[in-house]
Amino acid sequence: MRIAFIGFGEVAAAFAPAFAARGAQLAAYDVLLDAPDGPARLAARAGKTPIAFSDRATALRGARYVFSTVTTDVAREAAQACSALLATGQTWVDLNATEPGVKRAIAAIVQASGAAFVEGALLGAVGVSGAQTELLLGGAAGAPTAQALSADYGLNVRHYSDEVGKASTYKMLRSVFSKGLEALLIEFLVAGERAGMRAELWTEVVELLGRERFEKVAANWVCSHAVAHARRWHEVVQVEKVLRELGLEPTMTAATEQLFRRSMTLDMRAAFAARPDSMEPVIRFLDERLAQSDTDRT
């Protein structure tokens, strides 16, 4: 079977060996082909995996699956440039980390050519887990594609929804946690470095999360937020001051202060006489009160 990549960066380079190992014939187009040192750079990315680099038309010709793995800002442009070269029987699998509206726009472009469209959402770090990175697929053609990629090529893939945009929404909302935690860790560790206690602080956090299941720790944070948000707000105000004294702009901490202050503004304490037993009432209260606030403003 022939598989083509449009864009051959980290994601394509991670998945290509898995396809080749199962007998796929690989082709790829990348804008680097037009750069003076581009072909050499692409060959280095491919390593020992046999890939035919060529123009778009040649790369796409006869490909059963076409994986779009370009940079996010040109995902729609890439689909548009390839649309006239696609045909019925081909499946365009868009793995770019774009928001749901862009995925739907790309789906319309691809489907107008007669090809099938599959929304893809990578849920992990390809640089760490390679071709075993969890992959969610969406769209009407997502289920058979997931089955084929799992059975034929051993990918860690599952179908999420027939509705294009759902898998990307899942990935975007997941990033609220993963990217937010990344940013918070960076601020925390830089502050620790400034204070001369980074190693001790890192050890303390690692031991906390190693000693207790994250599920337990996280649920406790959310449940206790209902009754402790005001006290924590006062503490975070002081934390901001400490970071500024260290000469560090408290970007993430300032946002944390705003969130705790918002819970005070919503009069959350009046709604919870005691700590709830689960996260459900806390999240439900915030969702409903924030929705009401939005309605009041309009």
Side-chain angles (χ1 to χ4, degrees):
M1 184 180 294
R2 183 176 174 86
I3 293 175
F5 292 98
I6 300 299
F8 197 83
E10 181 184 31
V11 172
F15 280 88
F19 291 136
R22 298 289 188 99
Q25 179 187 5
L26 302 181
Y29 166 79
D30 192 287
V31 293
L32 275 179
L33 287 171
D34 299 324
D37 62 341
R41 291 168 62 186
L42 291 172
R45 288 178 188 173
K48 296 181 180 180
T49 303
I51 300 173
F53 290 101
S54 62
D55 59 80
R56 291 186 187 90
T58 303
L60 295 177
R61 190 175 300 124
R64 176 64 183 85
Y65 296 106
V66 179
F67 286 85
S68 177
T69 51
V70 297
T71 55
T72 301
D73 58 317
V74 298
R76 188 185 323 211
E77 178 184 330
Q80 193 67 63
C82 293
S83 60
L85 304 171
L86 296 172
T88 301
Q90 294 184 302
T91 299
W92 180 277
V93 184
D94 191 295
L95 297 187
N96 305 300
T98 55
E99 52 94 3
V102 174
K103 291 286 191 184
R104 287 189 286 268
I106 294 172
I109 292 170
V110 170
Q111 289 167 344
S113 72
F117 174 83
V118 172
E119 169 189 25
L122 288 162
L123 300 185
V126 172
V128 175
S129 46
Q132 281 305 298
T133 302
E134 185 178 6
L135 176 60
L136 295 187
L137 298 187
T145 301
Q147 183 177 8
L149 294 179
S150 175
D152 297 343
Y153 300 106
L155 300 190
N156 180 15
V157 57
R158 61 188 172 96
H159 180 236
Y160 187 71
S161 173
D162 284 346
E163 181 183 340
V164 173
K166 288 289 188 179
S168 295
T169 298
Y170 185 98
K171 177 180 173 64
M172 294 290 113
L173 296 185
R174 181 181 182 276
S175 291
V176 173
F177 176 80
S178 60
K179 303 305 187 293
L181 183 59
E182 174 187 339
L184 187 64
L185 280 173
I186 289 170
E187 182 165 293
F188 165 68
L189 292 171
V190 172
E193 183 74 11
R194 289 280 177 92
M197 55 184 71
R198 174 169 60 85
E200 299 97 310
L201 287 168
W202 176 250
T203 298
E204 196 276 333
V205 169
V206 170
E207 289 181 350
L208 168 67
L209 297 180
R211 186 169 57 249
E212 302 286 352
R213 291 179 58 194
F214 179 76
E215 180 182 10
K216 180 180 178 180
V217 174
N220 177 65
W221 284 336
V222 176
C223 292
S224 59
H225 181 82
V227 294
H229 58 275
R231 173 177 58 79
R232 290 171 181 169
W233 172 77
H234 285 288
E235 180 179 346
V236 174
V237 169
Q238 305 306 307
V239 173
E240 276 194 272
K241 181 180 179 182
V242 171
L243 292 186
R244 293 188 190 281
E245 289 174 350
L246 289 170
L248 185 65
E249 181 65 29
T251 305
M252 294 299 294
T253 304
T256 302
E257 181 272 325
Q258 291 173 21
L259 188 143
F260 283 121
R261 176 156 41 89
R262 185 182 69 184
S263 292
M264 294 167 61
T265 301
L266 295 173
D267 202 18
M268 190 176 200
R269 187 67 183 88
F272 292 91
R275 179 188 185 280
D277 294 329
S278 74
M279 297 187 293
E280 294 301 319
V282 180
I283 302 306
R284 196 160 49 244
F285 169 85
L286 289 169
D287 180 41
E288 292 172 356
R289 288 301 301 272
L290 289 170
Q292 183 60 51
S293 296
D294 291 340
T295 301
D296 292 344
R297 281 197 297 270
T298 57

